[in-house]
């Protein structure tokens, strides 16, 4: 049975969207400083990351010789704060230290050092599932620097710093986990999407 034109077009449509439940978050200080403790930052598994959005304010502009409608020109862009949540583990004090580093900058007894930088670059790698690493795709192994896993999508968040740190409520009547949630403000992000499973992480940095 011959395929119709409509069937041929439908068969060529992409039908394997990027999964959102497998991702890796890495925080890197903008400046090297041994007082900025980043031990085990790469080992914190986050439950969720939200707020990856950008919006641009429209400016309405009316022109006398063209007053049948209003022109719309772009104004300032703003980036929504990013919220990261994870179950708190014993020994994980990196986020508390980051928050203390921030407000220590505004006191005479600044433990981080006068003029120390408290900003970070945040790398959010959305990993493929199932992981195609190890398969011979297009004649080459898809091994990457992100734990030998294929990266489908990557967010690079710039000049991020922690603006809020909160913990779940203590309740003796519930059987729940202690969750730590932090909010990061930042100055923009880039988005890269892998064109295929044969793409390495370096190609979408």
């Amino acid at each position: 049975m011959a395929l119709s034109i409509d069937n041929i077009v439908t068969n060529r449509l992409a039908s394997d969207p990027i999964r959102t439940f497998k991702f890796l978050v890495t925080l890197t200080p903008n400046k090297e400083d041994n007082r900025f403790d980043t031990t085990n930052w790469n080992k914190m598994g986050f439950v969720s990351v939200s707020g990856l959005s950008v919006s641009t304010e429209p400016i309405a502009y009316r022109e006398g010789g063209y007053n049948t409608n209003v022109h719309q020109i772009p104004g300032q862009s703003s980036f929504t704060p990013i919220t990261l949540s994870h179950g708190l583990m014993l020994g994980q004090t990196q986020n508390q230290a980051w928050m203390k580093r921030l407000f220590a900058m505004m006191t005479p007894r600044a433990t981080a050092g006068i003029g120390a930088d408290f900003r970070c670059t945040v790398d959010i790698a959305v990993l493929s599932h199932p992981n195609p690493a190890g398969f011979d795709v297009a004649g080459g192994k898809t091994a990457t620097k992100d734990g030998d896993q294929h990266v489908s999508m990557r967010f690079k968040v710039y000049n991020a710093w922690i603006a809020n740190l909160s913990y779940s409520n203590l309740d003796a009547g519930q059987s729940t986990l202690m969750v730590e949630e932090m909010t990061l403000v930042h100055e923009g992000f880039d988005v890269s999407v892998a064109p295929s499973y044969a793409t390495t992480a370096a190609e979408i940095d």
Side-chain angles (χ1 to χ4, degrees):
M1 180 178 177
L3 292 175
S4 66
I5 295 178
D6 290 338
N7 287 335
I8 294 174
V9 173
T10 303
N11 289 339
R12 291 180 179 176
L13 291 176
S15 58
D16 191 13
I18 296 174
R19 280 78 157 175
T20 61
F21 57 81
K22 191 175 182 182
F23 55 91
L24 179 67
V25 180
T26 305
L27 298 98
T28 306
N30 286 357
K31 294 182 180 178
E32 292 293 334
D33 187 345
N34 55 13
R35 293 166 296 187
F36 201 157
D37 184 17
T38 57
T39 307
N40 295 328
W41 255 8
N42 295 353
K43 298 178 183 177
M44 285 197 300
F46 289 96
V47 175
S48 64
V49 178
S50 60
L52 291 164
S53 65
V54 55
S55 61
T56 300
E57 175 189 5
I59 300 175
Y61 171 67
R62 302 187 66 170
E63 184 179 354
Y66 191 74
N67 55 0
T68 54
N69 63 289
V70 178
H71 297 292
Q72 295 287 347
I73 60 177
Q76 291 184 330
S77 296
S78 61
F79 298 90
T80 304
I82 298 173
T83 301
L84 301 96
S85 302
H86 73 108
L88 189 61
M89 303 288 185
L90 291 177
Q92 287 188 342
T93 60
Q94 297 84 5
N95 295 338
Q96 297 95 316
W98 193 5
M99 176 61 79
K100 289 179 181 178
R101 182 183 181 88
L102 176 65
F103 61 70
M105 299 301 299
M106 298 176 288
T107 66
R109 301 173 61 186
T111 57
I114 300 298
D117 197 354
F118 50 82
R119 296 172 178 83
C120 286
T121 298
V122 183
D123 183 282
I124 305 171
V126 182
L127 307 177
S128 298
H129 179 82
N131 179 26
F135 290 91
D136 191 17
V137 181
K141 184 181 178 183
T142 60
T144 74
K145 66 181 181 182
D146 292 294
D148 231 14
Q149 300 188 70
H150 185 267
V151 178
S152 292
M153 188 176 185
R154 185 184 298 279
F155 296 90
K156 282 272 192 178
V157 184
Y158 303 105
N159 289 334
W161 53 273
I162 184 169
N164 183 71
L165 188 64
S166 61
Y167 298 91
S168 55
N169 296 332
L170 303 178
D171 189 347
Q174 298 291 329
S175 179
T176 57
L177 302 175
M178 175 61 71
V179 175
E180 183 182 63
E181 182 177 277
M182 66 174 176
T183 301
L184 306 181
V185 293
H186 58 96
E187 297 176 4
F189 62 86
D190 288 330
V191 184
S192 303
V193 180
S196 69
Y197 284 129
T199 308
T200 64
E203 295 178 84
I204 61 170
D205 276 349

